[in-house]
Amino acid sequence: MKLRFLIVGLGSMGKRRIRNLLALGERNIVGFDIRPDRNKEAKEQYGVKVINTFKDISPEDFDVMIISTAPLAHGDYIRFALKHKKHFFVEHPVGDDGYEDIFKNKDMDIIKAPSCTFRFYAPIVAIKKILADGAIGKILAFQYHMGQYLPDWHPWEDYREVYFSKKETGACREMLPFELIWLNWLMDSSVQSITGLTAKVSDLDMAADDIFLADVKYKNGIFGSLMVDVISRKPFRTLRILGSDGVLDWERFDHSIKIHKSQTGQTEIIATPKGHPETGYVNEEEMYNDEIKAFLAAIKEKIPYPHTFADNLQLLKTMFALEKSSHSGKCISL
């Protein structure tokens, strides 16, 4: 099946989605951004056709829409895709604009896919299998820390000018539900209650909070403690899972999973692939390619996409509940 793609938003993620499609052999790609410089860059770097004015875009000219704009613009483009019955993929949100429209059109025969990138990340897929095989017994609790200094996210541009430094679309608001996508998958459950703090503790020149701290209880009884920050001068993705028969440790940038088994007292070290980040990026390209591959498989082969907008809404509600807890000092049930 030959598909025609419209990528809306040609910033960091939009250009990445062009690379993903090209890596998967797709060539019929048109891009649009409200910024002429981004249109020019995408055209020159990847050879795609670009459109400078959205009103010049005809729904007859594409089959699939990839929405890679800043989060606050997602809703309008979701409604555009629904209106014209186009398959669509949306980057991770910080709000639920457009979700009511999606649920009203739940029976529409198109693929509606929210991003869930780390569900395709090789080390996390490996951890899921290790846990499913019972290597550390029953999961009881976990600790998780994600941190990276915000000016290092997009070192080629001023962080103060990017959506992730703004109060409503701040990086921590984006990353907490993003991390919970795959953490909930590993725990095979969803959050039942949450308590914690959100704050700005650094001297970064922005309105957004720069640290989220959360204690969670899952519906299946697992307890978790999470820190998400944009102040760490060294990047982290560090996970420790406590099981009834052992402990699993993973630090992403060590490229290994460590499994301590209580019966033997020994620790097994499993190497994980390093992948291939694009120049200037931390994240490897492979998982993004696999994510778009799964989206295309849902369109072409009717293979179910592994994450839904209902799932995503629950994650957003978890983030909203944390903010409510921070303001009230109370544990919030979902």
Side-chain angles (χ1 to χ4, degrees):
M1 180 191 301
K2 294 290 185 181
L3 294 172
R4 300 165 299 165
F5 296 88
L6 171 65
I7 298 183
V8 181
L10 297 175
S12 175
M13 286 307 304
K15 289 192 288 287
R16 175 175 270 144
R17 297 311 180 184
I18 293 174
R19 295 196 300 271
N20 298 155
L21 290 171
L22 293 174
L24 296 169
E26 302 291 346
R27 296 290 181 269
N28 200 336
I29 305 166
V30 174
F32 164 76
D33 198 285
I34 59 174
R35 283 176 44 175
D37 60 320
R38 288 182 173 175
N39 284 332
K40 182 174 183 289
E41 182 183 16
K43 182 178 181 180
E44 291 177 352
Q45 191 167 353
Y46 301 108
V48 299
K49 179 182 176 182
V50 296
I51 297 176
N52 293 307
T53 306
F54 193 76
K55 64 180 177 61
D56 293 336
I57 294 172
S58 170
E60 302 302 318
D61 293 338
F62 68 95
D63 310 298
V64 183
M65 194 168 175
I66 295 180
I67 302 169
S68 296
T69 64
L72 289 184
H74 287 178
D76 288 339
Y77 293 115
I78 287 170
R79 285 182 281 273
F80 181 87
L82 289 168
K83 177 181 178 180
H84 298 289
K85 297 184 179 180
K86 303 297 181 179
H87 306 291
F88 64 92
F89 174 95
V90 187
E91 306 296 352
H92 189 66
V94 294
D96 58 4
D97 185 27
Y99 279 55
E100 183 178 348
D101 303 272
I102 290 169
F103 299 143
K104 283 181 180 177
N105 292 278
K106 61 183 176 65
D107 296 326
M108 185 179 290
D109 188 23
I110 58 172
I111 301 301
K112 305 177 275 293
S115 176
C116 60
T117 309
F118 270 66
R119 284 283 303 265
F120 300 92
Y121 188 37
I124 291 171
V125 173
I127 291 171
K128 178 68 173 178
K129 185 176 188 307
I130 289 166
L131 297 175
D133 289 344
I136 62 169
K138 180 182 178 181
I139 301 172
L140 304 174
F142 70 89
Q143 294 176 317
Y144 178 66
H145 176 201
M146 177 266 159
Q148 185 184 5
Y149 190 52
L150 191 64
D152 293 341
W153 280 34
H154 290 182
W156 56 85
E157 59 186 342
D158 186 341
Y159 75 93
R160 294 168 296 184
E161 302 299 322
V162 185
Y163 73 86
F164 51 54
S165 70
K166 313 306 178 186
K167 184 68 173 179
E168 190 174 356
T169 55
C172 289
R173 297 190 90 233
E174 180 179 25
M175 294 312 297
L176 179 76
F178 181 88
E179 303 298 325
L180 284 172
I181 293 173
W182 61 270
L183 285 167
N184 288 4
W185 183 52
L186 292 185
M187 301 306 133
D188 199 26
S189 186
S190 59
V191 173
Q192 181 181 72
S193 62
I194 187 167
T195 185
L197 297 169
T198 66
K200 183 175 185 295
V201 298
S202 74
D203 60 359
L204 287 169
D205 184 14
M206 65 180 190
D209 290 330
D210 54 27
I211 189 166
F212 278 18
L213 302 168
D215 291 323
V216 298
K217 181 181 179 181
Y218 279 82
K219 291 179 180 178
N220 61 4
I222 294 172
F223 285 83
S225 178
L226 297 88
M227 178 190 295
V228 172
D229 77 73
V230 293
I231 57 177
S232 176
R233 300 309 298 262
K234 176 184 177 182
F236 288 98
R237 265 193 169 94
T238 304
L239 175 66
R240 172 169 290 168
I241 303 175
L242 309 182
S244 57
D245 298 323
V247 177
L248 183 148
D249 283 294
W250 174 58
E251 166 45 53
R252 178 189 184 188
F253 297 103
D254 289 345
H255 304 292
S256 67
I257 301 166
K258 299 177 181 178
I259 306 169
H260 177 82
K261 297 184 178 180
S262 59
Q263 290 184 338
T264 64
Q266 301 296 311
T267 298
E268 179 184 2
I269 300 176
I270 301 171
T272 59
K274 292 185 178 182
H276 301 86
E278 187 78 1
T279 301
Y281 289 79
V282 170
N283 292 333
E284 298 93 326
E285 290 286 284
E286 284 86 349
M287 58 183 165
Y288 296 97
N289 289 340
D290 289 343
E291 179 178 37
I292 294 300
K293 184 177 180 180
F295 173 51
L296 298 186
I299 296 171
K300 296 180 179 183
E301 305 169 44
K302 307 298 182 184
I303 297 173
Y305 186 78
H307 188 59
T308 70
F309 282 97
D311 297 330
N312 237 31
L313 182 59
Q314 188 63 25
L315 299 171
L316 289 170
K317 288 180 177 178
T318 304
M319 185 264 289
F320 300 151
L322 173 62
E323 293 176 326
K324 184 177 179 180
S325 174
S326 183
H327 292 139
S328 68
K330 298 178 180 179
C331 180
I332 306 298
S333 297
L334 283 88

